[in-house]
Amino acid sequence: MIRISNVQKAFGSVIVLKGIDLTVEKGELVCLIGASGSGKSTLLQCINGLEPIQGGEILVDGISVHDPKTDINKLRSKLGIVFQQYNAFPHLTALENVALAPRVVTKRSRAVARALAQKHLEHVGLGDKGDSLPSQLSGGQQQRLAIARALAMEPSYMLFDEVTSALDPELVGEVLETMRLLKSEGMTMVVVTHDINFARESADRVAFLCQGEVCEIGTAEEVIDNPRKEQTQKFLRRENRKPLEIVRSSVA
Amino acid sequence: MQFQFANQGLAWSDAYFLAQGLLNTVRLAAAATLVGTLAGIVLGWLRTVSMTVRIATAPFIDILRSVPMIIQLILANSLLSILGFGTSPFWFGTVALGAWMSAVTAEVVRASLLSVPVQYRKSARSLGMNGYQELLYISMPLAFRTGLAPWIGLVLSLIKDSALAGVVGYIEYMRSTQILITRTHETWLLLMGAGLFYFLICYPVSRYSRHLERKVRV
Amino acid sequence: MFGMNGYQFYWSIVWDSLPLLLAGAWVTIQITILAFIVGTLIAMPMAVARQQGEGWAYRFSTWWVELSRNTPAVFQLYLFYFGLGAFHINIPSYAAVLISVSFNNAGYMTEIFRGGLNAIPRQQLSASRSLGMTSPQSFIHVIFPQMFKVIFLAYVTQGIWGMLNTSLGMLVGLQELSGATQYAQSASFRTFEFFLVTALIYYLIAKGLQFSSHLAFRLIYRS
């Protein structure tokens, strides 16, 4: 379980997170939605300790992320993260990308790491692309590669930071498919996204962030179909949510 | 009676003399490049990660780039002599050229480390790698790609500057050429030899490095 | 002041020779500025010629650029000083230094200018020509002003490198700053003290040039 309690964060004098309370239970998919600048990506990067916090606490399976005594590198192997861009290491092949961390961090042998890497590449549908460089892969394939690479460390939680926002529309579907696959396998996921339809379809709970706070939180139906707060309603209207039928056919 | 001391023509022994000069250029350039590059990588990395080091070493780099190399060579010569460190022109040259090389290499290293998109480094750290692993497997290989072409340019500048080492008594190729010119007045032949030597090293290497730069940009 | 091995630093002797050094510094500055201007004037048409990709002007400029950038500056100096001397054209060391530093500047500046020219959209030239301007007029009034703004930093840096190259005058007997220092210290052999002060003077000249160039940029481009 990830427990975020009263987390405050500022960049210099700019306060980005004003006191976030959020809990993510095992097996859940929680979506974080909100306008740019609402602090969603920052919050995600606080969860695995990439960003420090100025107040509050984040506990992952009971371990405090920002406690100086915590072995952050060990903790990070429980949390996989995929960013919006510049994910796949450009100087390594797909297989090397995935095999690197198992070899270097968990000290697996070269052979074991390669086998592990191949398995995870197949898991995301890139089994035949092992020897390709990221520059030879499409944007969607690179993102799936990044997912496989994070999965190779056998994390308990996966964090997604707007992973489809920088992709051409026709490449978005394959990445969302992979994410749905993970959900069906029971992975606990925290997904920051602009894609309201994905949130409505796949999320167990949705949290709407505005101006550094959780303005509204509830099940996907509650927040997206029947938002209670005015800010949520305004935001959803601006995002101009498409009807579900049209979304499904364009992804198939 | 004709006195013939001024215009002794070129002899075969002079070819040997020139060859020695050529070898001396290579020795000096290799030594200064080695010392300067290693020191420059360390300095560049330190300047990237530590603001204190960056501020403290800024004058060092600024001064080495604003003072002519000939002056740096003479200062290295006189300072080392005062401090009692031997009388070898090779070392004077290596210290001066090496110091310059470390300063300019540090800047190239710093720029190329900073050019690695921060996302790659975050991904590496998120996978559980510690700072040194991230540097070794991700930052340095990627920085190397950006920094290689500029570094090659620095090495070529160093080779050209080595032609000044004659001023501290090091008989490298340019100095040997100049000595022979003064003695034999075979000016054009010797000058062409010198020009050709440096040109044949610098021109192909700089073309190759431009080719590398184009590859990296893609 | 005592150094290692009982070496006594003796600074006042440098102070006594300061007028000589400053006279040398003045020669350095003269040549730096003249070579900067001459280099610029030659590099502008050469950069345009290089952009053509073919023709005798292209080949000539390419030859100039590659020669000046792939050989040591001292070689270029000897080329003019000793080389012309072999044809019994004995030029004084001042001229030799001025010509060789200008030659060197022109080569490097041509490539710097090319980079700037590549950054300017082609339409700028066609637009000026359509307004009835001749090619030279278009370049002088429209293209080059924009080019200088783009490459200003690299351009000034090259000017400073030109200044560093003037120090080679010492090797052909010119009394610019380095040559003057060499002469001044030859009586007392206080090499270190003299050349340290000279290094400081070079540093100050370089900083002065950088500072005035920033001022000039702001005045010209009002940015």
Side-chain angles (χ1 to χ4, degrees), chain C residues 2 9 50 53 69-70 74 88 113 115 123-124 128-129 131 143 156 161 164-165 181 183 191 195 197 208 215:
Chain C
F2 284 91
F9 288 101
R50 285 271 289 157
R69 281 158 45 110
N70 291 300
V74 65
H88 300 292
F113 290 174
Q123 295 89 327
Q124 291 282 315
S128 339
R129 295 305 306 276
L131 288 169
I143 306 291
V156 166
W161 286 349
L164 299 182
N165 280 335
T181 315
Y183 175 75
T191 319
F195 278 100
V197 171
L215 226 70

Side-chain angles (χ1 to χ4, degrees), chain A residues 147-201:
Chain A
I147 295 174
R149 185 180 64 189
L151 289 174
M153 294 303 286
E154 329 236 286
S156 316
Y157 308 93
M158 281 290 282
L159 311 173
F160 295 86
D161 193 353
E162 301 207 35
V163 298
T164 54
S165 299
L167 293 179
D168 292 331
E170 61 269 14
L171 300 172
V172 168
E174 60 191 77
V175 179
L176 295 183
E177 264 311 303
T178 311
M179 290 166 73
R180 285 190 206 106
L181 176 66
L182 288 182
K183 168 150 172 70
S184 70
E185 292 167 351
M187 174 64 74
T188 316
M189 296 157 70
V190 182
V191 179
V192 170
T193 183
H194 272 144
D195 191 337
I196 309 295
N197 296 301
F198 173 79
R200 175 67 180 82
E201 264 198 337

Side-chain angles (χ1 to χ4, degrees), chain A residues 19-201:
Chain A
I20 305 276
D21 288 296
L22 185 66
T23 318
V24 182
E25 306 284 348
K26 266 228 173 299
E28 268 201 296
L29 192 161
V30 175
C31 265
L32 301 178
I33 60 174
S36 307
S38 53
K40 340 189 271 295
S41 294
T42 312
L43 179 61
L44 208 69
Q45 295 189 30
C46 289
I47 297 177
N48 80 338
L50 281 176
E51 290 285 351
I53 56 180
Q54 279 76 42
E57 192 182 46
I58 301 181
L59 294 173
V60 174
D61 289 348
I63 304 172
S64 170
V65 172
H66 292 93
D67 188 344
K69 291 194 263 346
T70 306
D71 184 348
I72 192 70
N73 295 318
K74 211 164 133 225
L75 183 62
R76 281 187 178 142
S77 53
K78 288 195 192 187
L79 296 157
I81 190 168
V82 182
F83 297 104
Q84 187 179 39
Q85 285 187 75
Y86 297 121
N87 271 309
F89 302 135
H91 58 302
L92 303 174
T93 64
L95 202 68
E96 288 165 353
N97 253 279
V98 183
L100 180 64
R103 194 164 53 86
V104 162
V105 177
T106 40
K107 312 282 189 219
R108 305 291 177 90
S109 75
R110 262 203 151 80
V112 169
R114 283 184 75 91
L116 199 69
Q118 184 60 32
K119 186 183 95 179
H120 282 100
L121 282 176
E122 281 163 11
H123 189 191
V124 302
L126 292 173
D128 56 339
K129 298 282 185 197
D131 291 321
S132 305
L133 286 172
S135 54
Q136 297 166 313
L137 301 174
S138 74
Q141 289 169 327
Q142 288 180 35
Q143 293 298 70
R144 283 191 281 150
L145 170 57
I147 295 174
R149 185 180 64 189
L151 289 174
M153 294 303 286
E154 329 236 286
S156 316
Y157 308 93
M158 281 290 282
L159 311 173
F160 295 86
D161 193 353
E162 301 207 35
V163 298
T164 54
S165 299
L167 293 179
D168 292 331
E170 61 269 14
L171 300 172
V172 168
E174 60 191 77
V175 179
L176 295 183
E177 264 311 303
T178 311
M179 290 166 73
R180 285 190 206 106
L181 176 66
L182 288 182
K183 168 150 172 70
S184 70
E185 292 167 351
M187 174 64 74
T188 316
M189 296 157 70
V190 182
V191 179
V192 170
T193 183
H194 272 144
D195 191 337
I196 309 295
N197 296 301
F198 173 79
R200 175 67 180 82
E201 264 198 337

Side-chain angles (χ1 to χ4, degrees), chain C residues 24-82:
Chain C
W26 174 230
V27 175
T28 294
I29 293 175
Q30 275 175 42
I31 299 182
T32 302
I33 294 178
L34 287 174
F36 186 72
I37 294 172
V38 173
T40 303
L41 293 175
I42 297 175
M44 287 198 285
M46 289 222 294
V48 177
R50 285 271 289 157
Q51 296 292 74
Q52 307 305 330
E54 54 174 11
W56 68 264
Y58 168 76
R59 273 178 273 127
F60 177 77
S61 344
T62 305
W63 166 90
W64 187 315
V65 166
E66 297 300 350
L67 183 62
S68 61
R69 281 158 45 110
N70 291 300
T71 57
V74 65
F75 165 77
Q76 294 163 31
L77 174 61
Y78 286 172
L79 202 62
F80 292 105
Y81 188 71
F82 290 118

Side-chain angles (χ1 to χ4, degrees), chain B:
Chain B
M1 198 140 108
Q2 298 224 44
F3 292 99
Q4 270 224 23
F5 32 79
N7 257 324
Q8 292 175 306
L10 279 177
W12 282 113
S13 56
D14 295 323
Y16 181 68
F17 179 59
L18 280 180
Q20 280 215 298
L22 202 149
L23 239 85
N24 282 342
T25 293
V26 174
R27 281 178 64 214
L28 178 61
T33 301
L34 188 66
V35 166
T37 303
L38 291 175
I41 291 177
V42 173
L43 183 61
W45 176 72
L46 283 173
R47 296 195 87 225
T48 313
V49 298
S50 160
M51 179 65 101
T52 329
V53 170
R54 186 167 159 219
I55 295 178
T57 54
F60 169 72
I61 294 182
D62 197 21
I63 291 171
L64 287 188
R65 293 200 293 200
S66 311
V67 173
M69 179 48 76
I70 213 173
I71 306 289
Q72 295 183 37
L73 283 162
I74 294 174
L75 280 176
N77 184 342
S78 52
L79 183 65
L80 289 178
S81 302
I82 290 173
L83 295 176
F85 284 114
T87 52
S88 162
F90 174 75
W91 285 113
F92 300 147
T94 304
V95 165
L97 290 170
W100 175 86
M101 187 65 178
S102 68
V104 292
T105 301
E107 287 302 87
V108 167
V109 167
R110 196 177 116 82
S112 35
L113 279 174
L114 289 177
S115 75
V116 176
V118 70
Q119 231 73 324
Y120 293 136
R121 297 166 55 202
K122 284 187 179 178
S123 293
R125 297 305 306 268
S126 302
L127 288 166
M129 289 191 242
N130 64 33
Y132 291 109
Q133 291 172 323
E134 182 267 306
L135 187 71
L136 181 62
Y137 292 103
I138 307 299
S139 284
M140 295 228 87
L142 291 176
F144 178 79
R145 297 174 148 207
T146 337
L148 183 63
W151 176 81
I152 291 178
L154 294 178
V155 175
L156 293 181
S157 291
L158 190 147
I159 293 174
K160 287 184 279 182
D161 274 348
S162 73
L164 297 172
V167 88
V168 295
Y170 189 65
I171 313 296
E172 43 68 57
Y173 191 58
M174 196 69 220
R175 185 90 168 102
S176 331
T177 303
Q178 184 249 313
I179 289 175
L180 286 182
I181 290 179
T182 311
R183 201 197 78 208
T184 69
H185 295 288
E186 289 279 2
T187 314
W188 279 94
L189 185 64
L190 289 163
L191 272 182
M192 285 308 104
L196 216 65
F197 168 66
Y198 292 101
F199 193 84
L200 288 178
I201 294 178
C202 294
Y203 183 67
V205 174
S206 69
R207 293 280 316 244
Y208 176 66
S209 142
R210 256 175 283 177
H211 167 78
L212 277 180
E213 254 178 327
R214 242 169 283 144
K215 262 179 71 182
V216 166
R217 221 171 291 149
V218 167

